[in-house]
């Protein structure tokens, strides 16, 4: 029997994860199955138990289940603890569930390896202070930027994150309008505004020369934020397909101890019009 894996979320029908993991499996000769299962938050616990009781080996969790997966895990990695969310569950030999979060490392791999950016000494701005932001602040601070600003509509949420991440480094918390007068080399959109076609109300003139804009959201069409970045003169303004594929590669490694090559998968999805 094939080792069984799945992604759970709601909604889930547009998830690219099954295609990505099937390509990883083919490429590395791993015999696995990977399916998408629509799970509402209220039935998450039951769905996870049924999946693992039936011999399942691992689950990816996406919106809106990552915080529930964090609670469900028996053990957590340090990065999962910091982000307060789990996107990868692995069944351990003793039957317990390990919870990890590969979103942050997925973003960093896309930024630094695939796009060739160096973040040390750079001025970075993150938009939003929800779950997506929590998953990426740790590795961004560890990359030693000159400064890391966190802007959010609701300032209290940004202040909370500043306190949580204080042991790792300083965060400059700001409203969108108070960003006026600052310039950034990299702006990362971690709000859910793109999902409704909106862009946070950013002041003019905040892109430094050669600035890069990165939207954690991805879709077939350019997101509202990547369009904004291009209009404002960013040298590069991209959506989060690369991060999605890299976080999947990390999850695959956690489960199978084999590192897939992400490049052919990115190319194949781009060619198929998935981005
Ligand atoms: P996620 O887990 O995807 O981060 P979340 O926890 O609901 O989702 O957080 C959504 C983030 O997007 C929040 O920072 C939210 O701002 P508020 O905290 O002020 O609510 C932000 N957001 C959503 N829609 C937005 C919009 N139209 N403009 C600006 N920010 C928006």
């Amino acid at each position: 029997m094939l080792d069984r894996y799945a992604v759970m979320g709601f909604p889930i029908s547009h998830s690219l994860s099954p295609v990505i993991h099937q390509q990883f499996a083919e490429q590395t000769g791993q015999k696995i199955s990977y399916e998408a299962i629509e799970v509402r938050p209220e039935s998450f616990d039951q769905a996870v138990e049924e999946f693992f009781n039936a011999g399942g080996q691992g689950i990816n969790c996406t919106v809106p289940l990552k915080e529930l997966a964090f609670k469900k895990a028996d053990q957590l990695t340090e990065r999962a603890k910091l982000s307060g969310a789990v996107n990868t569950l692995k069944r351990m030999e003793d039957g317990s569930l390990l919870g990890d979060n590969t979103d942050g490392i997925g973003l960093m791999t896309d930024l630094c390896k695939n796009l060739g950016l160096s973040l040390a000494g750079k001025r970075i701005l993150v938009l939003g202070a929800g779950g997506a932001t929590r998953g990426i602040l740790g590795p961004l601070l560890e990359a030693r930027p000159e400064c890391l600003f966190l802007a959010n509509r609701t300032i209290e949420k940004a202040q909370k994150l500043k306190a949580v991440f204080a042991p790792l480094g300083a965060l400059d918390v700001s409203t969108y309008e108070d960003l006026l007068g600052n310039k950034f080399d990299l702006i990362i959109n971690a709000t859910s505004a793109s999902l409704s076609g909106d862009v946070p109300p950013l002041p003019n003139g905040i892109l430094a020369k050669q600035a890069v804009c990165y939207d954690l959201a991805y879709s077939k069409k350019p997101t509202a934020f990547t369009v904004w970045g291009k209009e404002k003169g960013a040298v590069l303004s991209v959506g989060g397909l690369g991060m999605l594929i890299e976080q999947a590669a990390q999850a695959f490694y956690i489960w199978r101890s084999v590192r897939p090559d992400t490049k052919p998968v990115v190319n194949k999805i781009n060619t198929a019009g998935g981005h």
Side-chain angles (χ1 to χ4, degrees), residues 65-87:
L65 306 174
K66 291 184 190 182
E67 283 80 11
L68 292 173
F70 177 84
K71 290 195 189 122
K72 187 80 183 149
D74 300 305
Q75 310 142 53
L76 294 162
T77 61
E78 280 308 311
R79 61 192 182 189
K81 277 184 205 162
L82 251 181
S83 55
V86 156
N87 75 339

Side-chain angles (χ1 to χ4, degrees), residues 24-217:
F24 287 165
E26 264 172 45
Q27 185 199 95
T28 57
Q30 297 284 305
K31 305 257 177 284
I32 67 160
S33 72
Y34 189 107
E35 67 205 287
I37 307 177
E38 187 174 273
V39 176
R40 289 172 191 264
E42 56 274 22
S43 40
F44 178 69
D45 275 13
Q46 196 190 340
V48 170
E49 278 157 29
E50 278 172 13
F51 185 83
F52 284 114
N53 286 341
Q57 298 292 312
I59 300 175
N60 281 140
C61 298
T62 185
V63 180
L65 306 174
K66 291 184 190 182
E67 283 80 11
L68 292 173
F70 177 84
K71 290 195 189 122
K72 187 80 183 149
D74 300 305
Q75 310 142 53
L76 294 162
T77 61
E78 280 308 311
R79 61 192 182 189
K81 277 184 205 162
L82 251 181
S83 55
V86 156
N87 75 339
T88 305
L89 286 169
K90 176 184 179 176
R91 184 198 164 91
M92 307 302 279
E93 267 179 25
D94 63 1
S96 65
L97 292 184
L98 173 72
D100 200 352
N101 190 321
T102 64
D103 286 334
I105 180 81
L107 172 69
M108 296 306 283
T109 308
D110 198 35
L111 289 176
C112 302
K113 193 165 159 235
N114 301 343
L115 302 176
L117 304 181
S118 153
L119 305 189
K122 296 285 163 57
R123 299 180 59 85
I124 303 178
L125 167 63
V126 173
L127 313 175
T133 296
R134 264 191 92 128
I136 62 170
L137 287 178
L140 285 175
L141 283 168
E142 280 163 9
R144 305 241 157 258
E146 182 190 312
C147 62
L148 183 52
F149 273 65
L150 186 57
N152 199 41
R153 247 178 356 193
T154 321
I155 193 80
E156 293 77 17
K157 274 163 95 178
Q159 279 159 348
K160 259 190 198 153
L161 289 187
K162 180 184 164 92
V164 170
F165 286 88
L168 291 191
L171 284 174
D172 291 296
V173 164
S174 174
T175 60
Y176 292 119
E177 58 203 24
D178 287 344
L179 291 171
L180 187 66
N182 288 288
K183 287 204 184 290
F184 298 97
D185 303 300
L186 171 65
I187 305 184
I188 298 171
N189 180 30
T191 71
S192 47
S194 285
L195 303 179
S196 46
D198 294 327
V199 178
L202 296 166
N204 281 326
I206 60 167
L207 291 188
K209 269 190 195 143
Q210 308 288 315
V212 172
C213 290
Y214 194 101
D215 199 339
L216 299 194

